[in-house]
Amino acid sequence: MLKKVGILANGGDVSGFNAVIRAIVKTAENHGVECYGIIDGYNGLLKKDFEILSTAAEGEAMGILPKGGSIIGSSTNANLFNYKVVNEDGSIEYKDMSDKAIENIKEFGFDCIFTLGGDGTQKSARDFSTKGVRVIGVPKTIDNDVACTEITFGYNTAVSVSMEALDRLHTTGETHHRIMVLEVMGRYAGWIALESAIAGGADIALIPEIPYDINRVAEKINNRRKRGKNFSVVVVAEGAKPKGGDITIIETRDNGTGVDNTKLGGVGQIIAQQLQEITGLEARNTTLGYMQRGGTPTAYDRVLSTKYGSKAMELALEGKFGTLVVIKNGKLDFVSLEDVVGNNKKIGAVSGNTEESNLRKVSMEDDLVKTARNIGINLGD
Ligand code: F6P
C-alpha cells in the first residue's frame, strides 16, 4: 500500500518538469496517495526539505502545466554518494551521505521516491535502489541522451526554440550575406543540433558524434556561393569537436564525481572565426544557451511529460520499483534502472554526465542522419 511519495527534480532544468510533477500528483490523488516535493534535487533528501504538493485550490501543484522551471527546484551539483562538504576551517571533503538521506526517507515515511532527471540522476537513483530505497525514474534532459528511451522530456521544447532561432538567423544572414552560426546545447549527443537543423533548414550541422573538418564545412559554404547563395546557416552543438581535437570548455568546477563539472561553450565562436577567414564571408555567432531550457513547454512536451508522470505513478502503485519510465517503439514502457546505467553494479563507480556514461548518442544509422545527408545538410565530414 502506497501512502506517501516524494518527487525530486535533479540536474539542469527543462521545460516539462512541472508537467511531470502535476501528472504524478494528480494520479496519486486519484488513488489517495500523498505527494511531497523534495526541494532542490537530492539536496532536499539530506536537508529533509519536503513540501506537500496538491492540486487543490491554493495547492502548490495547481496551475503549473505551462510553467517553466521546477516548482520544487533542482540541483546540478548533488551526488549524495560523493557529496562535497565544506568544513568549518574551509577544507573540503567528499563524503558518502547516502545513509543519512536513507535515514531521512525512512523517518519521513516515503514509500517511493520519483527521480526526475538525466543519466547522472538515474545513476544515483539506481544506487539508492541498490541500498533498498524504492525509486522510479523519469527521463529528463534537453540533450535527449538518456539510455533506453527514445525521447526525454524537455527535448522537444529545446528543438523548437532552436528552430525558431534558426528561422530568425536565416533572415538576418540573407540580408547581410553572412555566415550565421548558432551554438546549441548538447554535450555528448547532437540531437538538438541535428533535429533543429532539419526543422530550421540549416545548411550545416556539427555534432559531437562526427568530429568536423572545417575545410569541408567551408567547401559547402563556397559551393552554395557558386550557386548564388551568399549566406549560410550553421548549427553547432556545444560538444562538437574538430577531427583530432577536443571539446571547448569555458569553465570547470570541482564538485566531485557523479555531477557535471565542466561548462562547455565557445565552439560556435571559434567556428565562425575560422569560416570567416577561410571563405572571406563575414560570420557571426549566436549562442542560444539557457533559452533552450527555460519557459513554457511545447504541446508535445506537455503531453509527453504528462504521460511519463502518470505512468511513473502507475508503476509505483503496481510495485515496479527500481525502474525508469521510457518510450520504446513509440509506446510508454519501463526498464530496469540497471539497464539504464549500463549494468554497473558498483555504487558510485561510474559518474554521471561524462563521456563514459551510458548515453544514447546519435547513431550514423539514425533516420535523422540519413535525412540530413539526403537533403544536403553538411555534417562536417
Ligand atoms: O545536460 C543538459 C545541459 O543543458 C547541457 O546541454 C549543458 O551542457 C548543461 O546542461 C549546462 O548545465 P549548467 O546548468 O550546469 O550550466
Side-chain angles (χ1 to χ4, degrees), residues 28-227:
E29 283 174 346
N30 281 336
H31 289 86
V33 179
E34 211 177 22
C35 276
Y36 283 80
I38 296 162
I39 307 304
D40 292 342
Y42 283 112
N43 287 314
L45 282 181
L46 205 56
K47 296 178 182 156
K48 283 203 271 188
D49 198 353
F50 310 134
E51 209 171 90
I52 184 94
L53 297 175
S54 118
T55 60
E58 310 299 323
E60 283 289 326
M62 195 198 77
I64 60 171
L65 178 63
K67 208 172 165 203
S70 155
I71 60 158
I72 55 174
S74 187
S75 168
T76 56
N77 60 9
N79 174 14
L80 297 185
F81 292 84
N82 191 39
Y83 198 69
K84 185 178 186 175
V85 179
V86 184
N87 296 317
E88 268 173 25
D89 64 358
S91 61
I92 288 168
E93 265 184 276
Y94 294 94
K95 290 186 180 168
D96 182 352
M97 303 300 281
S98 59
D99 286 339
K100 180 71 198 143
I102 293 171
E103 203 181 296
N104 294 342
I105 291 170
K106 284 187 184 153
E107 193 190 292
F108 198 71
F110 282 131
D111 298 313
C112 174
I113 307 285
F114 295 98
T115 54
L116 283 45
D119 74 299
T121 303
Q122 305 311 342
K123 265 190 187 91
S124 283
R126 189 287 309 258
D127 290 352
F128 275 113
S129 171
T130 308
K131 293 185 96 173
V133 180
R134 294 155 137 201
V135 295
I136 293 177
V138 185
K140 167 239 68 160
T141 171
I142 63 165
D143 289 5
N144 201 29
D145 58 3
V146 175
C148 305
T149 187
E150 283 155 23
I151 191 154
T152 53
F153 69 91
Y155 168 66
N156 181 266
T157 305
V159 171
S160 296
V161 171
S162 174
M163 176 197 75
E164 197 194 325
L166 287 169
D167 286 349
R168 291 175 189 278
L169 292 174
H170 252 105
T171 57
T172 169
E174 192 168 2
T175 304
H176 292 285
H177 319 308
R178 283 174 174 162
I179 300 166
M180 303 304 289
V181 178
L182 179 69
E183 182 183 308
V184 297
M185 282 185 174
R187 301 178 68 80
Y188 303 110
W191 296 107
I192 300 176
L194 187 57
E195 193 154 348
S196 66
I198 294 171
D203 308 296
I204 292 138
L206 305 178
I207 61 174
E209 293 85 345
I210 307 177
Y212 64 85
D213 176 344
I214 199 71
N215 292 311
R216 300 285 296 154
V217 178
E219 212 174 288
K220 164 79 184 176
I221 292 170
N222 284 332
N223 285 341
R224 277 174 54 78
R225 238 162 137 191
K226 280 183 205 143
R227 294 167 58 213

Side-chain angles (χ1 to χ4, degrees), residues 12-13 76 140-143 185-187 238 253 260 262-264 290 293 353:
D13 69 336
T76 56
K140 167 239 68 160
T141 171
I142 63 165
D143 289 5
M185 282 185 174
R187 301 178 68 80
E238 61 181 350
R253 64 179 180 190
D260 186 350
T262 54
K263 186 166 166 26
L264 305 189
Y290 298 89
R293 289 180 7 187
N353 241 324

